[in-house]
Amino acid sequence: RSTLFPYTTLFRSFPENDVWGRFNSMMANCCFVQLSEIDRMNTNVYMGKIKDIITNPTINIEDKGLKPYTTQSNHNFIIPTNNDLPINLSKKQRRFCIVSTSSINIGNKAYFAELFKIMEDKNALKSIYEYFMNLKNVPEKFSSSDINVSTFQAEMKENLTEDIITYMKYRTIEKKNEQQTIKTIEDRKSTRLN
């Protein structure tokens, strides 16, 4: 636990069971859910459930051997990762804000020691809190048009679309070649039989 995100944070690397899985009792009292180093293997088949948790005002909680119940959902997901594409995105997605941070301080132990020290400093955290609480022109409720799309996120979406188009072109050409090969084999068989 950290001072920045104390008791209301759930830290998970394998969320399939206790975040969007059936037995999710750990989600009952948390506000922030940090999903460390996940990738599409963790999220691909669960995108519907993930979107449901993000969008719906309530969540069903079930603990092993206990009766399920519904409670208010104020879950916010944080996904720190080195994976290029930890979740599937579409060009029209509106639930995720993706940021690429600088890698300039990789291996700089002094930098990270100071950063972690600041993250535990209550006065520094109070300053951050006051800064955000005093921002002007913040909407009462955010809509998808209020979400700033970072350059990195825009590039990810573009590359994702290009990857899908490239794959479909490849599969189409591959299928044509496969059909041509089958036709050639059938023609040869037919010639031999005659």
Side-chain angles (χ1 to χ4, degrees):
R1 301 278 179 231
S2 74
T3 306
L4 189 58
F5 298 111
Y7 305 104
T8 59
T9 304
L10 173 63
F11 296 91
R12 281 290 169 263
S13 293
F14 302 100
E16 297 87 344
N17 295 324
D18 47 16
V19 175
W20 45 76
R22 179 177 171 191
F23 299 112
N24 62 348
S25 61
M26 298 179 92
M27 294 285 284
N29 296 314
C30 71
C31 181
F32 295 99
V33 181
Q34 179 176 313
L35 305 172
S36 297
E37 295 301 338
I38 64 168
D39 60 23
R40 282 189 277 184
M41 293 292 287
N42 301 104
T43 61
N44 202 18
V45 297
Y46 300 102
M47 282 309 291
K49 289 183 178 187
I50 295 166
K51 290 176 182 178
D52 187 56
I53 293 171
I54 292 169
T55 307
N56 285 336
T58 61
I59 185 171
N60 295 324
I61 301 292
E62 185 173 351
D63 201 352
K64 288 183 181 178
L66 298 176
K67 185 178 177 182
Y69 64 94
T70 302
T71 189
Q72 186 174 352
S73 175
N74 294 311
H75 298 94
N76 298 280
F77 290 89
I78 301 167
I79 307 174
T81 184
N82 290 316
N83 292 309
D84 292 331
L85 190 60
I87 56 175
N88 283 330
L89 294 177
S90 69
K91 282 202 169 206
K92 294 182 181 179
Q93 75 81 24
R94 57 186 175 23
R95 293 173 181 89
F96 304 100
C97 179
I98 300 160
V99 178
S100 176
T101 58
S102 171
S103 58
I104 196 167
N105 285 304
I106 289 177
N108 185 343
K109 292 181 182 180
Y111 170 83
F112 285 102
E114 183 63 25
L115 177 64
F116 291 133
K117 195 171 154 184
I118 291 169
M119 288 170 59
E120 298 299 323
D121 181 342
K122 289 183 181 179
N123 290 324
L125 297 178
K126 184 176 182 227
S127 295
I128 293 169
Y129 171 80
E130 288 173 355
Y131 169 78
F132 284 118
M133 293 308 292
N134 290 308
L135 280 174
K136 303 293 183 221
N137 303 320
V138 176
E140 194 65 34
K141 184 174 182 177
F142 286 94
S143 68
S144 58
S145 63
D146 295 314
I147 297 172
N148 184 28
V149 176
S150 68
T151 304
F152 178 71
Q153 184 172 351
E155 287 173 5
M156 280 178 63
K157 285 199 238 179
E158 192 60 40
N159 289 338
L160 177 67
T161 304
E162 287 174 11
D163 288 348
I164 291 169
I165 292 168
T166 302
Y167 174 76
M168 293 307 290
K169 283 179 182 175
Y170 167 77
R171 288 296 293 158
T172 303
I173 292 166
E174 184 181 79
K175 193 72 175 167
K176 281 182 183 175
N177 290 341
E178 187 178 294
Q179 288 170 346
Q180 185 62 41
T181 302
I182 290 169
K183 185 177 181 329
T184 303
I185 291 169
E186 287 173 352
D187 288 347
R188 286 180 187 163
K189 282 182 184 177
S190 175
T191 304
R192 278 188 227 146
L193 292 173
N194 292 332

